Amino acid sequence: MKGLESRAELTLPDKREKIPYSERSILVLGGSSGIGLKAVAELARLGVANVYVGTRSSENFNRARTHLTRKDKLDVGSLPIHPFHADVTDKTQMARASQEIKQKGIEVTDVIFSQAGGMAIYMQSLHKDYLDQITEHTYETPIYELSEDKRRIVKEKLNEMRETLKVWTEDAMPHAISVNYQGTFDAIDVLKETFPKGFTGIFYNSTWGKLSGTPGIEIPLLYRPVDRSKALARDRLQQDGLKLAKQGVHMAEVVASLVNDTKVGKMFNDFFLNLMDKEQREAVRSSSIQTQDVVNATKQVLDTNPLEWPTHPYVLYVYKKSGQPVVDTSLELSAMYTTPYRF
């Protein structure tokens, strides 16, 4: 979609330019899993001076190290990968962890906002109360290929599930907002104060989060806490992006389609694709990408000079088109965004 970003001219007081990876210290919030962990692996391979894994616990960090060793084949012990122990919803913890970096004489040059929250609180109950019974019929067979009797059973159960989801998603909203929206801007405030030389920030959004609230756009009810909280961050980035840039904080937004090799992506592929109409199902499948595709777009942002960005925030969309991942400044709409979802 074109026209989503402001084209305001930028006059900046700082002299920030593209920095060599060997001179960068990069913080990845939400870096112990999913896209954030894939970014950590890529940054380590690129020779970044210091990579900080933002996570709430040492257990998560140790689990991430094991993954990097076994799955990404990295010699973690010889790489400058460090923990950044802090809950993004707690400014005191964020300030303490930031000061620990500062006291070592290190300046954070880039921050990736990969933290995510909003659906986990109800997923176990959703499976137990609804999905296990629904996928008994649809796990291997799309809903449009079921017999009329089975399709009726599934649709009735889906209608019950939607009514319950209306309550569960509203209950989950405060936590989603605290992580995806407030956590992002609290972190910016803390890091801006701790590292006054400024930094480049990359906020990970989804296409549903980017399009949330747009007339005619359809988004799964299941995803409501995430898309609405991400949309709050989207709106504030649009509102404050130029002001932040003038303060030395250059924000970009990498907007990804469904990412297959994340927990959410695997869940959609296993349980929800077969609950979609044929055209919608194919649109979701054909546009879905991998974590590496999002990281490639991240690197594309890091490889630019933020003083030359046409917009603040600088927005890139990542999705698959004609079988190939693409990174573009606009998004082509499909049945993924225009057909109502049953869930």
Side-chain angles (χ1 to χ4, degrees), residues 32 53-64 83-87 93:
S32 63
V53 179
T55 185
R56 289 176 295 177
S57 70
S58 57
E59 290 79 7
N60 288 344
F61 178 71
N62 291 334
R63 194 179 302 116
F84 182 92
H85 289 145
D87 186 330
Q93 291 185 24

Side-chain angles (χ1 to χ4, degrees), residues 61-72 76:
F61 178 71
N62 291 334
R63 194 179 302 116
R65 283 172 57 90
T66 299
H67 180 99
L68 293 170
T69 301
R70 294 178 178 174
K71 300 292 185 180
D72 293 289
V76 176

Side-chain angles (χ1 to χ4, degrees), residues 237-268:
L237 285 173
Q238 290 295 316
Q239 174 184 318
D240 294 351
L242 192 61
K243 179 176 70 175
L244 286 170
K246 291 179 178 178
Q247 297 170 356
V249 178
H250 303 265
M251 292 298 298
E253 188 178 4
V254 170
V255 183
S257 185
L258 185 69
V259 184
N260 287 327
D261 54 337
T262 61
K263 287 182 180 179
V264 172
K266 291 173 182 175
M267 177 189 68
F268 266 84

Side-chain angles (χ1 to χ4, degrees), residues 317-331:
Y317 296 87
V318 192
Y319 58 101
K320 192 172 285 185
K321 180 179 178 181
S322 302
Q324 297 297 321
V326 297
V327 180
D328 203 350
T329 56
S330 62
L331 174 68

Side-chain angles (χ1 to χ4, degrees), residues 211 213-219 333-334 337-340:
L211 299 175
T214 305
I217 294 297
E218 300 290 344
I219 298 171
L333 297 185
S334 67
Y337 310 107
T338 58
T339 302

Side-chain angles (χ1 to χ4, degrees), residues 111-284:
V111 182
I112 296 174
F113 296 86
S114 184
Q115 80 279 7
M119 295 169 59
I121 191 172
Y122 51 79
M123 285 311 303
Q124 185 174 353
S125 296
L126 189 70
H127 274 276
K128 178 172 65 70
D129 295 345
Y130 298 101
L131 280 181
D132 289 348
Q133 300 163 59
I134 290 170
T135 54
E136 179 182 338
H137 303 288
T138 60
Y139 189 75
E140 294 182 347
T141 307
I143 189 170
Y144 51 82
E145 292 183 3
L146 293 176
S147 66
E148 185 175 338
D149 288 346
K150 287 187 176 181
R151 193 182 311 132
R152 183 173 61 252
I153 293 170
V154 169
K155 286 185 176 181
E156 288 176 355
K157 199 65 180 178
L158 280 170
N159 288 336
E160 293 176 21
M161 187 177 83
R162 279 191 64 88
E163 291 304 308
T164 304
L165 275 172
K166 290 176 183 178
V167 177
W168 285 352
T169 53
E170 288 304 311
D171 290 345
M173 197 70 69
H175 177 67
I177 291 173
S178 70
V179 173
N180 300 330
Y181 167 66
Q182 195 62 50
T184 294
F185 289 93
D186 283 351
I188 290 173
D189 288 343
V190 168
L191 295 166
K192 184 173 59 173
E193 182 175 346
T194 308
F195 305 104
K197 292 183 181 180
F199 55 87
T200 296
I202 301 175
F203 176 75
Y204 286 161
N205 203 348
S206 63
T207 51
W208 284 326
K210 186 65 171 176
L211 299 175
S212 180
T214 305
I217 294 297
E218 300 290 344
I219 298 171
L221 172 60
L222 170 79
Y223 197 72
R224 177 171 289 174
V226 182
D227 79 77
R228 292 194 175 175
S229 57
K230 291 277 189 176
L232 290 174
R234 168 204 69 193
D235 292 345
R236 188 162 169 188
L237 285 173
Q238 290 295 316
Q239 174 184 318
D240 294 351
L242 192 61
K243 179 176 70 175
L244 286 170
K246 291 179 178 178
Q247 297 170 356
V249 178
H250 303 265
M251 292 298 298
E253 188 178 4
V254 170
V255 183
S257 185
L258 185 69
V259 184
N260 287 327
D261 54 337
T262 61
K263 287 182 180 179
V264 172
K266 291 173 182 175
M267 177 189 68
F268 266 84
N269 280 289
D270 287 346
F271 301 108
F272 292 101
L273 273 182
N274 280 353
L275 301 178
M276 302 178 194
D277 289 332
K278 188 172 185 179
E279 184 183 6
Q280 183 184 54
R281 180 176 182 265
E282 180 55 33
V284 173

Side-chain angles (χ1 to χ4, degrees), residues 270-327:
D270 287 346
F271 301 108
F272 292 101
L273 273 182
N274 280 353
L275 301 178
M276 302 178 194
D277 289 332
K278 188 172 185 179
E279 184 183 6
Q280 183 184 54
R281 180 176 182 265
E282 180 55 33
V284 173
R285 291 184 65 180
S286 63
S287 70
S288 297
I289 53 176
Q290 302 293 314
T291 51
Q292 186 62 53
D293 300 322
V294 184
V295 172
N296 289 343
T298 302
K299 185 176 178 293
Q300 187 168 320
V301 174
L302 294 174
D303 285 342
T304 62
N305 180 348
L307 298 184
E308 298 175 354
W309 289 353
T311 61
H312 285 77
Y314 177 43
V315 182
L316 291 178
Y317 296 87
V318 192
Y319 58 101
K320 192 172 285 185
K321 180 179 178 181
S322 302
Q324 297 297 321
V326 297
V327 180

Side-chain angles (χ1 to χ4, degrees), residues 11-24:
T11 303
L12 296 172
D14 69 342
K15 302 298 182 183
R16 185 173 182 81
E17 297 176 351
K18 181 189 168 189
I19 305 170
Y21 285 107
S22 60
E23 297 177 13
R24 294 187 185 217

